[in-house]
Amino acid sequence: MNELTGDDQAIELLQQLGLKEYEAKSFVALSRVSAGTAKDISERSEVPRTRVYDAVRVLESKGLVEIHHSNPQQFRAVSVDEAADILRDEYHDRTESLRETLKALEPITTEPERDVTHEVWALSGNRTIAARAEQLVSEADDEVVLILGDEAMFTESLQDALEAAEQRGVTIIVGAAIEELQTTVQSALPDVEVFVSGLSWLASSGPDDQTDIERLLLVDRTTILISTSSGREDDEKAIFGRGFDNGLVTIVRRLMATGLLPVDDPGSERP
């Protein structure tokens, strides 16, 4: 299998950010020179010359290319940093537009509200699970108990979600697998109770068990999320359940309590 060249990789990334093939190729060609004509772009990018003008017009409309109206016309790409900022903003705008459009869609059928007592779902992928954990924290009304098995789980966006929950008056308790992680979390969240978890079974137990528990999250004593990973890239998997009487929630609440200070047992009532 052939590895992508630098040009090919840049073109692929630009396409993932919304540019079409000829637009991406033209921009990459221009980004390597101070300026160029349509002929120059075509020769460097293998984009047909007749298609270069269409591609450049689109790039100009996005603010990615400047045009000097000489004879022949000269084109130049904006700086790499400026282009990255423009594409990031456009990607964000599209994401927000998608969010609003999807929320506005009318449901095809109206179903009766489900009994969530036995609701358990599965998720895969680091980003998906991280986003769900942050969403659950953002929904908390009373208490969040979070145990982290790895420093990579403590992201900036998770920190923001925990800070926002704390500002709403939610009690936040964070357990860390090791002292170094405890120090990191405590430094980032100085007003939050952070401790080294006593749950030694978070880590893999030997050669026959290479699975680590990455995060345990309990929200308002009714919703639980558990994720695991075997160390391979983006192989994190999770399950989460809702409902105070959910068997999974009950079991994990009690297991988590073995690693907490007695007064913070999520299965006990606070005075």
Side-chain angles (χ1 to χ4, degrees), residues 20-91:
K20 295 181 179 179
E21 180 183 2
Y22 286 166
E23 296 161 8
K25 286 184 173 181
S26 297
F27 183 81
V28 170
L30 279 175
S31 69
R32 301 184 64 179
V33 295
S34 58
T37 64
K39 179 181 179 182
D40 296 331
I41 296 172
S42 179
E43 290 175 348
R44 291 190 176 95
S45 65
E46 298 183 353
V47 174
R49 188 171 175 179
T50 55
R51 301 297 300 276
V52 166
Y53 292 102
D54 292 334
V56 169
R57 274 195 291 271
V58 173
L59 293 172
E60 182 193 17
S61 70
K62 292 179 179 291
L64 297 172
V65 162
E66 299 171 348
I67 299 177
H68 181 247
H69 294 284
S70 55
N71 189 16
Q73 286 184 323
Q74 294 277 328
F75 310 101
R76 70 178 182 184
V78 299
S79 70
V80 171
D81 288 338
E82 188 176 351
D85 288 342
I86 289 170
L87 291 171
R88 180 189 59 199
D89 292 343
E90 182 173 339
Y91 188 85

Side-chain angles (χ1 to χ4, degrees), residues 90-271:
E90 182 173 339
Y91 188 85
H92 177 267
D93 290 344
R94 289 186 180 185
T95 302
E96 289 304 308
S97 178
L98 173 63
R99 186 200 308 273
E100 295 304 318
T101 300
L102 290 175
K103 284 184 175 181
L105 293 177
E106 294 291 335
I108 296 175
T109 59
T110 301
E111 298 178 356
E113 186 175 347
R114 297 191 308 270
D115 178 3
V116 299
T117 300
H118 303 290
E119 181 178 288
V120 178
W121 297 84
L123 295 172
S124 297
N126 303 48
R127 291 183 179 179
T128 300
I129 296 168
R132 178 56 53 85
E134 292 156 20
Q135 177 191 343
L136 295 177
V137 170
S138 71
E139 295 173 353
D141 295 318
D142 179 52
E143 180 185 70
V144 169
V145 180
L146 173 64
I147 298 179
L148 299 172
D150 187 273
E151 189 166 359
M153 301 298 104
F154 187 62
T155 61
E156 183 176 342
S157 54
L158 176 59
Q159 177 186 334
D160 291 342
L162 291 169
E163 287 178 338
E166 183 191 13
Q167 291 171 5
R168 296 196 309 273
V170 176
T171 299
I172 308 293
I173 304 170
V174 180
I178 57 176
E179 290 184 1
E180 290 82 355
L181 179 53
Q182 178 194 24
T183 300
T184 298
V185 176
Q186 192 70 81
S187 176
L189 302 169
D191 297 325
V192 167
E193 180 179 342
V194 186
F195 66 99
V196 176
S197 170
L199 305 179
S200 59
W201 43 267
L202 288 173
S204 57
S205 60
D208 295 330
D209 177 13
Q210 297 297 316
T211 301
D212 292 333
I213 294 178
E214 300 289 10
R215 39 187 145 206
L216 289 172
L217 174 63
L218 177 64
V219 175
D220 293 339
R221 309 185 188 184
T222 62
T223 301
I224 191 80
L225 180 145
I226 312 170
S227 76
T228 62
S229 172
S230 61
R232 294 189 298 273
E233 184 176 358
D234 200 32
D235 74 332
E236 189 177 2
K237 299 184 183 303
I239 56 173
F240 77 97
R242 297 180 188 271
F244 185 83
D245 294 328
N246 185 300
L248 171 66
V249 173
T250 302
I251 291 170
V252 177
R253 282 171 60 241
R254 293 175 182 174
L255 287 173
M256 290 176 72
T258 67
L260 302 176
L261 297 173
V263 295
D264 292 321
D265 180 345
S268 63
E269 293 296 330
R270 294 182 183 276

